[in-house]
Amino acid sequence: MKEIIEALASRIRSPIFGYYCLFFSTFNWSNIFYLLASSTSANDRIEYFIKNSTHSSLIFDPIIYASIFAITYPWVNLLFIRLTQYPVELKNSLNAESEHKLILQKQNLERLRNEYLAIKEEAVISRAEREVRIKSIDDAEIRNKASSELSEIRKSSEMATEDNKINPAAIISNYKQQAIDYRNKATNAKTIVEQDRLIKMADELDKKTRLIMANIPTDLTKN
């Protein structure tokens, strides 16, 4: 009994059975409506249904149209899939391109922050070197005067940095100033090796400046 019920359930779930019921209702809708909605006796309604129905409307036409629909529907569905394939792929491509640009922008900003920190670290090292050079001055008056002037320069520089914190324009300005400082040091270098090293450092800062200006919107690089 269980096997029979499962077999019937499988037939009912079959697409062809559903299509058959659809077209059966289409070809016999008026008879079905009269059979269900009429207030006459059951015998009259059954007699009306039999009289106005044919083997063709009950069996052959629904089977033929259900078979045709079952065969053509997958092909029609495939056609629509093919028609929508290009716009769907184009949409996915645009989304991927947008995400790629966003990732690149985040990477550029991250590199910008890292380079800014590198500049600050280099400034700390340079400051320590200058402190050592000032302390090595024998004349106390000259040493105190140089220390005072250096403190004033640092104070004004820190105020400007605070006003332009994590600002691309400020970072570019720092890069340019660092490059100028390295070239000035190169002119006073004692050896050719030291001079070449300082010039290369200045060139590297110029290169970074151009890279930042190429990857950051123009309005962010203006003071």
Side-chain angles (χ1 to χ4, degrees):
M1 186 64 179
K2 182 179 179 180
E3 289 77 8
I4 296 175
I5 295 174
E6 290 179 353
L8 290 174
S10 177
R11 298 296 185 276
I12 292 173
R13 287 194 298 267
S14 173
I16 191 67
F17 180 79
Y19 299 149
Y20 173 81
C21 292
L22 174 65
F23 287 105
F24 178 87
S25 301
T26 302
F27 285 110
N28 301 280
W29 71 270
S30 60
N31 297 336
I32 295 173
F33 180 78
Y34 183 86
L35 185 65
L36 297 175
S38 176
S39 60
T40 60
S41 64
N43 290 333
D44 291 340
R45 283 179 284 172
I46 293 172
E47 183 179 353
Y48 177 87
F49 186 87
I50 294 173
K51 182 179 179 180
N52 292 277
S53 300
T54 64
H55 289 88
S56 178
S57 65
L58 294 175
I59 301 175
F60 299 118
D61 289 345
I63 289 178
I64 292 172
Y65 280 87
S67 300
I68 294 173
F69 191 82
I71 294 172
T72 58
Y73 174 75
W75 291 99
V76 174
N77 190 39
L78 179 61
L79 176 61
F80 278 101
I81 292 175
R82 293 292 294 177
L83 290 175
T84 58
Q85 181 178 4
Y86 176 73
V88 170
E89 290 179 352
L90 181 60
K91 177 184 176 182
N92 293 336
S93 177
L94 292 175
N95 289 337
E97 183 178 354
S98 178
E99 292 177 0
H100 178 67
K101 289 182 179 179
L102 180 61
I103 291 173
L104 288 179
Q105 186 176 8
K106 289 181 179 179
Q107 289 176 346
N108 288 332
L109 292 175
E110 184 66 24
R111 184 173 65 252
L112 185 63
R113 283 191 287 267
N114 292 336
E115 291 174 352
Y116 180 78
L117 291 175
I119 290 294
K120 299 295 288 183
E121 292 172 358
E122 182 66 24
V124 171
I125 295 173
S126 298
R127 177 182 297 183
E129 291 177 349
R130 287 192 291 269
E131 290 283 357
V132 172
R133 291 172 61 187
I134 289 174
K135 290 180 180 179
S136 65
I137 298 175
D138 296 331
D139 192 306
E141 182 178 355
I142 296 175
R143 183 172 63 250
N144 292 335
K145 182 179 179 181
S147 179
S148 177
E149 292 177 353
L150 184 60
S151 297
E152 289 295 328
I153 293 173
R154 288 173 179 172
K155 184 178 180 180
S156 61
S157 176
E158 289 173 356
M159 291 176 62
T161 302
E162 185 66 26
D163 292 337
N164 298 280
K165 187 174 292 184
I166 312 302
N167 187 329
I171 296 174
I172 291 173
S173 178
N174 284 334
Y175 277 7
K176 290 181 178 179
Q177 185 59 47
Q178 286 282 335
I180 293 173
D181 291 342
Y182 284 140
R183 288 192 173 92
N184 290 336
K185 291 179 180 180
T187 58
N188 299 321
K190 296 180 180 180
T191 63
I192 296 177
V193 174
E194 180 68 12
Q195 185 180 43
D196 290 341
R197 185 181 69 84
L198 292 170
I199 291 175
K200 287 181 179 179
M201 293 173 68
D203 292 339
E204 184 65 24
L205 286 172
D206 288 338
K207 181 179 178 181
K208 291 180 179 180
T209 301
R210 291 192 295 271
L211 180 62
I212 295 172
M213 296 180 69
N215 288 279
I216 299 299
T218 306
D219 57 339
L220 294 179
T221 60
K222 295 180 180 179
N223 291 322

